[in-house]
Amino acid sequence: MTDLSPTIELAQALIRRPSLTPDDQGCQALLGERLGQTGFQCESLRFGPVDNLWARRGTASPLLMFAGHTDVVPTGPLHRWEHPPFDARVHDGVLHGRGAADMKGSLAAFMTACERFVSQHPNHKGSIAWLITSDEEGPAREGTLKVVEALQARGEQIDWCIVGEPSSTRTVGDVIKNGRRGSLGGVLTVHGIQGHVAYPHLADNPIHRVAPALAELAATTWDEGNDFFPATSFQISNIQGGTGAANVIPGELEVVFNFRFSTEVTAETLQQRTEALLKRHHLQYELEWTLNGRPFLTAEGPLVEAAQKAIQRVRGFKSQLSTSGGTSDGRFIAPTGAQVVELGPCNATIHRVNEQVLVHELDQLSAIYEDILVDLLT
């Protein structure tokens, strides 16, 4: 395909760098060079094995930040790809490759939107910033989280943040994620006494002990949700116990579970209610909690309004606000007080073999980002 737009050409250049998390493979250097030419002051912030890029144009407020990641997930079986995952091939109006939708296409759209906007409005009000990490698809402990902490320590306040995660469902712009549920994980270890199945009175089966408690946890109504969030859910993802022998009562059982929770409840409340329930069942247990992210919501305000207006102007329809899906790095940015939305390509093929995105939709996404810049910073 000839005559590709600058957005698609940059997306291809990024996809051709196999930046499997957390190896950035020079993607941030490429972005930083382009941003520097557009008047951004770029700063590399490395924590452990993770590369992070902080770039800012201007010193005044308000600050509109674009947030994203250069790392991608593994390809899976190469023989199942229609086109090699790092060739970034365009065929029949479709850009193929790992990261095309999640989220190198968004990064390219960020860039061309900023370049056009600065060219037309070199003296725009406020500031524009980029926060890019190579740790979003990994543990997410030394990327956006660490950069936000560093920014707060030096007093940089983010007013508005657009995260380029693939938020769209059927066509670009049909869905804006204006919040996300919280994620609270638990690893429950229940202790019993190992023994022979023929002599249960000499043993204490932790599977039998915990089963009623798990049933009660699964049946509990934690909240009713609200206008923006569904009710909090509890799901068991793994149960492991036993020696593998059919005639041995296990002495220990491990249960891995997760809460996806709304703003109607706190992580602390979920922990307290869970442990109270376990104690009522007289279990001998240990419980390790991991808070992956608290829920956040940008219900209304200038950013949501600007995004909706931009989609209406560029795409000709009204977008839907949603808080569905998993977590994103927005969970680290929203607690600073910033308004946060996720707005990006369609998510139908993310993390799958044959990840792809429509070429014209990336160009439309770039136009949407530019329109938001015009709305908020002119």
Side-chain angles (χ1 to χ4, degrees):
M1 186 174 180
T2 59
D3 300 324
L4 295 174
S5 71
T7 301
I8 304 307
E9 289 179 345
L10 178 55
Q12 288 180 308
L14 292 169
I15 292 168
R16 287 171 182 147
R17 298 170 185 254
S19 53
L20 298 175
T21 188
D23 188 358
D24 172 69
Q25 283 285 308
C27 290
Q28 291 176 24
L30 174 61
L31 295 172
E33 181 180 357
R34 290 276 288 262
L35 289 168
Q37 294 170 358
T38 313
F40 284 78
Q41 298 296 314
C42 298
E43 181 179 358
S44 178
L45 298 170
R46 187 174 174 87
F47 299 101
V50 177
D51 289 306
N52 302 287
L53 173 66
W54 171 251
R56 180 165 178 161
R57 188 181 197 277
T59 58
S61 60
L63 172 60
L64 170 60
M65 185 178 80
F66 293 96
H69 60 91
T70 52
D71 58 323
V72 298
V73 297
T75 63
L78 293 176
H79 69 274
R80 292 180 55 199
W81 284 77
E82 182 180 353
H83 303 286
F86 298 113
D87 274 13
R89 194 169 302 177
V90 173
H91 180 72
D92 289 339
V94 178
L95 173 61
H96 298 262
R98 176 58 83 221
D102 189 14
M103 59 171 289
K104 293 179 175 180
S106 296
L107 298 179
F110 284 168
M111 182 67 72
T112 53
C114 287
E115 288 172 340
R116 291 193 306 271
F117 174 75
V118 169
S119 176
Q120 293 294 318
H121 307 279
N123 299 314
H124 61 82
K125 70 180 184 181
S127 303
I128 311 169
W130 283 49
L131 194 171
I132 307 299
T133 184
S134 63
D135 185 40
E136 197 275 343
E137 300 289 9
R141 295 301 178 198
E142 296 178 294
T144 301
L145 175 63
K146 290 286 190 181
V147 177
V148 167
E149 290 175 351
L151 296 176
Q152 288 186 295
R154 63 196 195 191
E156 296 202 54
Q157 175 61 46
I158 304 159
D159 296 283
W160 306 307
C161 175
I162 301 172
V163 184
E165 290 292 345
S167 62
S168 303
T169 302
R170 294 182 177 85
T171 185
V172 71
D174 62 350
V175 175
I176 298 170
K177 303 288 188 182
N178 67 321
R180 291 284 193 173
R181 292 176 294 173
S183 174
L184 175 65
V187 178
L188 171 66
T189 303
V190 181
H191 300 290
I193 299 175
Q194 183 173 315
H196 197 294
V197 296
Y199 302 95
H201 60 287
L202 300 178
D204 184 6
N205 194 324
I207 299 175
H208 295 184
R209 287 278 191 186
V210 79
L214 296 181
E216 186 175 344
L217 286 167
T220 296
T221 298
W222 303 93
D223 61 52
E224 300 293 342
N226 55 38
D227 290 343
F228 293 97
F229 291 93
T232 293
S233 68
F234 168 87
Q235 289 293 316
I236 298 169
S237 56
N238 191 37
I239 297 180
Q240 186 172 359
T243 65
N247 60 352
V248 178
I249 294 170
E252 191 173 274
L253 178 74
E254 182 181 271
V255 181
V256 181
F257 61 87
N258 180 266
F259 286 100
R260 292 301 166 104
F261 62 102
S262 75
T263 51
E264 294 295 304
V265 69
T266 67
E268 292 74 17
T269 299
L270 292 174
Q271 292 175 8
Q272 292 165 5
R273 291 178 63 184
T274 299
E275 297 202 35
L277 186 153
L278 295 174
K279 289 174 181 176
R280 287 202 307 272
H281 285 267
H282 306 291
L283 301 174
Q284 297 296 318
Y285 71 91
E286 297 169 8
L287 181 51
E288 179 181 346
W289 293 101
T290 301
L291 179 59
N292 301 303
R294 297 185 185 275
F296 68 90
L297 178 67
T298 302
E300 57 187 12
L303 181 59
V304 168
E305 294 170 8
Q308 289 181 312
K309 287 190 290 185
I311 292 166
Q312 182 69 53
R313 283 191 284 262
V314 174
R315 298 303 324 273
F317 55 73
K318 184 177 180 180
S319 58
Q320 175 188 350
L321 298 177
S322 172
T323 61
S324 64
T327 59
S328 79
D329 276 1
R331 69 189 189 272
F332 304 128
I333 300 165
T336 69
Q339 296 178 25
V340 179
V341 298
E342 296 173 25
L343 175 56
C346 290
N347 54 30
T349 62
I350 61 173
H351 291 206
R352 294 176 56 179
V353 167
N354 293 320
E355 182 177 348
Q356 58 190 258
V357 65
L358 291 172
V359 164
H360 76 270
E361 289 200 345
L362 281 189
D363 289 325
Q364 290 170 333
L365 186 61
S366 178
I368 290 169
Y369 293 151
E370 182 184 8
D371 201 284
I372 294 172
L373 283 162
V374 171
D375 192 307
L376 295 175
L377 296 183
T378 61

